[in-house]
């Protein structure tokens, strides 16, 4: 990734998500993908991340939106 290129959209949250919650982003993306594949809806996964992992709403929503876009 070019350090001079500013990342936009949901992926712009990834560095702060990794720093704040102490897990590599790929762990979060895999967890979210598994939940979506199991039939959970966007907001159900957001609420799960908030309740089970203490993730803030903005971070959770951005990560789920990113995964949904990649799976589409």
């Amino acid at each position: 990734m070019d350090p001079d290129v500013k990342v936009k959209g949901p992926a712009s949250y990834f560095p702060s998500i990794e720093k704040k919650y102490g897990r590599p982003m790929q762990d979060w993306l895999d967890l979210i993908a598994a939940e979506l594949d199991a039939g959970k809806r966007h907001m159900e996964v957001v609420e799960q991340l908030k309740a089970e992992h203490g993730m803030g709403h903005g971070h959770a929503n951005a990560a789920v939106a990113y995964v949904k876009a990649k799976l589409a």
Side-chain angles (χ1 to χ4, degrees):
M1 206 177 233
D2 187 344
D4 295 328
V5 175
K6 183 162 174 65
V7 177
K8 296 180 182 176
S12 67
Y13 286 91
F14 291 0
S16 60
I17 290 171
E18 288 182 327
K19 183 177 179 183
K20 184 164 186 161
Y21 306 107
R23 290 172 65 177
M25 201 60 220
Q26 192 60 53
D27 286 357
W28 297 114
L29 300 177
D30 292 343
L31 182 143
I32 293 164
E35 295 300 327
L36 292 171
D37 286 344
K40 287 193 178 174
R41 297 176 63 181
H42 181 107
M43 288 309 296
E44 290 176 308
V45 180
V46 168
E47 291 301 323
Q48 178 182 352
L49 292 170
K50 291 166 58 176
E52 294 179 12
H53 302 284
M55 194 174 280
H57 182 84
H59 285 159
N61 192 55
V64 174
Y66 179 86
V67 173
K68 283 186 70 175
K70 292 297 181 183
L71 292 175

